[in-house]
Amino acid sequence: MMKVAAIQHDIAWEQPEKNFSLLAPLIEQAAGDGARLIVLSELFSNGFSMNTKHISETLDGASTQFLIQQATELGVWICGSVPILSRGNDLPHNSLVLADPDGNTLRYEKKHLFGYAGEDKHYVGGSAPLTVEVEGVRCSFFICFDLRFGPDFWDIAAATDLFIVVANWPEVRRNHWKSLLKARAIENQAFVLGVNRIGEGDGLTYSGDSRLYGPMGKTISKASKNQTQILLSDIEPSTVTEVRSDFPFRWLNSR
């Protein structure tokens, strides 16, 4: 069993240092409560900004260093997404950075860019999925708009116990957020954790609605709307094995 903490938090627009200061005590509290994996939101240090000339960072930039520092000092795994410029690209990737207790990092680059907001004009899309075993739990990571693309989840479901989706998902479509998270849990027979921001940014309002669904679609835990909150949940991978054994849907038979 592994305890995961979803930190539902506000984001000061394009002010990384302020966000680091706001998040550090919440991360420390989550670690003190026993969390082994701590999850922040999409673009946790800036908000969902298209001002990439201003906010982009290098591979070892301030936001990544903040995650590494928190992971090593507290002895935990921690993740959140960061606008990272990689060699050969003029535009950054929206990259989920996962730091481990030894200071190593892995990245997932957001595959599906939200063209409705112009993300495809300011960021470069990725392609390769990321699945990592964290404290005995096989975790796969996605970012916000990726949630709408079910086949990407199906393709790696057999190797996944817990899907993690970090987001800046606007309140106006909060029903889609909750419904799609639940759908991904049911159809993949896996835990699905959605971690969304609260507050306002660039004229949009975010309600949070962070939550964890179990492999049968049951709501395991959920954060209050519009409140900064640490959502602590236990993930038991044997539950996924049992559900898939009891209900062996045809598409899982190729495992």
Side-chain angles (χ1 to χ4, degrees):
M1 182 179 293
M2 186 263 290
K3 190 179 293 292
V4 61
I7 298 185
Q8 178 171 285
H9 60 93
D10 199 352
I11 302 175
W13 191 254
E14 297 180 356
Q15 298 180 65
E17 292 299 329
K18 183 174 181 179
N19 289 311
F20 300 157
S21 296
L22 292 170
L23 286 166
L26 296 172
I27 295 167
E28 184 176 8
Q29 181 180 338
D33 288 338
R36 300 301 305 143
L37 171 61
I38 298 171
V39 185
L40 309 179
S41 74
E42 177 184 21
L43 297 174
F44 71 91
S45 58
N46 284 286
F48 190 59
S49 172
M50 299 301 106
N51 187 16
T52 50
K53 289 185 178 180
H54 173 64
I55 68 170
S56 294
E57 302 183 10
T58 60
L59 289 171
D60 60 351
S63 297
T64 297
Q65 290 303 313
F66 172 75
L67 294 174
I68 292 172
Q69 177 187 23
Q70 295 297 311
T72 54
E73 289 184 359
L74 298 171
V76 297
W77 297 72
I78 186 169
C79 68
S81 90
V82 180
I84 294 180
L85 274 171
S86 55
R87 185 175 301 173
N89 286 317
D90 294 328
L91 299 176
H93 290 281
N94 184 344
S95 298
L96 182 141
V97 177
L98 174 67
D100 73 14
D102 294 324
N104 303 304
T105 59
L106 293 165
R107 294 188 305 277
Y108 162 71
E109 296 166 344
K110 187 177 184 180
K111 179 179 180 181
H112 299 284
L113 302 179
F114 190 43
Y116 185 76
E119 187 180 16
D120 57 330
K121 295 179 176 62
H122 299 281
Y123 291 82
V124 178
S127 58
L130 175 65
T131 301
V132 181
E133 185 170 313
V134 179
E135 307 283 331
V137 177
R138 299 171 301 169
C139 301
S140 295
F141 300 85
F142 289 97
I143 302 174
C144 204
F145 193 50
D146 289 332
L147 180 61
R148 292 188 179 273
F149 298 85
D152 292 334
F153 288 72
W154 306 340
D155 287 346
I156 56 176
T160 303
D161 302 308
L162 169 66
F163 288 105
I164 292 170
V165 185
V166 303
N168 275 204
W169 196 286
E171 181 176 15
V172 68
R173 290 184 293 279
R174 64 191 293 251
N175 183 55
H176 292 192
W177 166 251
K178 293 183 287 184
S179 298
L180 288 167
L181 288 171
K182 185 173 185 177
R184 297 293 166 258
I186 293 171
E187 66 194 7
N188 293 291
Q189 298 176 303
F191 290 97
V192 175
L193 176 67
V195 184
N196 193 29
R197 70 160 291 185
I198 60 170
E200 296 185 359
D202 200 28
L204 294 175
T205 300
Y206 302 89
S207 57
D209 296 302
S210 301
R211 57 198 55 222
L212 174 72
Y213 289 101
M216 293 294 286
K218 179 181 178 181
T219 303
I220 304 298
S221 55
K222 60 182 180 180
S224 301
K225 179 183 175 184
N226 297 325
Q227 292 186 18
T228 298
Q229 189 171 344
I230 300 171
L231 190 66
L232 287 165
S233 308
D234 291 322
I235 306 297
E236 178 50 76
S238 65
T239 302
V240 175
T241 303
E242 291 168 4
V243 168
R244 291 177 177 178
S245 176
D246 292 343
F247 301 94
F249 297 151
R250 182 170 59 86
W251 63 268
L252 282 172
N253 289 342
S254 61
R255 288 184 297 172

